[in-house]
Structure formats: structure tokens, C-alpha cells
């Protein structure tokens, strides 16, 4: 899935825009379904990135020492 390459903040902004459009309620059914599907995909991307960040933090804390992790532009460790 190419969406994995999106930055967390960009995914959140897109997700917030989708939610705003759907909450307005004036989107045709077909478009609403497409937006909902895209929103679910973005939600999964955000969840996966947050879970990955949490795992990195837990690993660093378990090591009991300060560790630097080189993070790539897409938010994943290099």
C-alpha cells in the first residue's frame, strides 16, 4: 500500500478533512463511501505509525540508556 509512505501529520490532516466532509452530510452516497474507505485506510496508517513509535520507545526504555534512532522522512526508522 503506497499510503504507508505518507507522513503521519499529512495522514492526520487528510483524515480530519474527510471527517469534516462526512460530518457535513451533503456528500452523495457513492462519494461518502469512497471517503469512508479512504478514511479507514488513513486511520490504519496513523495507527501503524503510532504503534511503531510506541514500540521504539519501549525498546529504548528497556535498554535503560539513552539511544538515538535515525528516523526517515516517512517516520520509520532507517
Amino acid at each position: 500500500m503506497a499510503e504507508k509512505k505518507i507522513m503521519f501529520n499529512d495522514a492526520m490532516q487528510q483524515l480530519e478533512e474527510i471527517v469534516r466532509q462526512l460530518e457535513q452530510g451533503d456528500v452523495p452516497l457513492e462519494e461518502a463511501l469512497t471517503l469512508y474507505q479512504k478514511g479507514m485506510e488513513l486511520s490504519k496508517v496513523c495507527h501503524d505509525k503510532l504503534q511503531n513509535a510506541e514500540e521504539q520507545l519501549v525498546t529504548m526504555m528497556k535498554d535503560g540508556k539513552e539511544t538515538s534512532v535515525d528516523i526517515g522522512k516517512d517516520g520509520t526508522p532507517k
Side-chain angles (χ1 to χ4, degrees):
M1 174 182 203
E3 290 297 327
K4 287 277 185 182
K5 299 295 180 187
I6 192 170
M7 298 286 292
F8 177 81
N9 288 341
D10 294 336
M12 281 299 296
Q13 286 177 345
Q14 288 180 31
L15 185 54
E16 288 171 357
E17 176 60 22
I18 288 171
V19 169
R20 185 192 62 74
Q21 289 177 3
L22 291 173
E23 284 179 342
Q24 284 182 346
D26 59 354
V27 178
L29 178 61
E30 294 79 9
E31 186 179 345
L33 290 172
T34 300
L35 286 170
Y36 182 82
Q37 182 177 9
K38 175 73 173 175
M40 291 302 294
E41 292 170 1
L42 288 166
S43 176
K44 181 172 177 1
V45 167
C46 290
H47 176 268
D48 291 347
K49 288 184 179 291
L50 286 172
Q51 189 171 18
N52 182 271
E54 180 182 13
E55 290 169 2
Q56 289 177 42
L57 288 171
V58 168
T59 299
M60 287 187 280
M61 291 171 64
K62 280 183 181 176
D63 288 345
K65 59 183 181 218
E66 209 171 295
T67 309
S68 64
V69 177
D70 192 13
I71 304 295
K73 284 187 174 187
D74 64 352
T76 58
K78 290 183 178 178

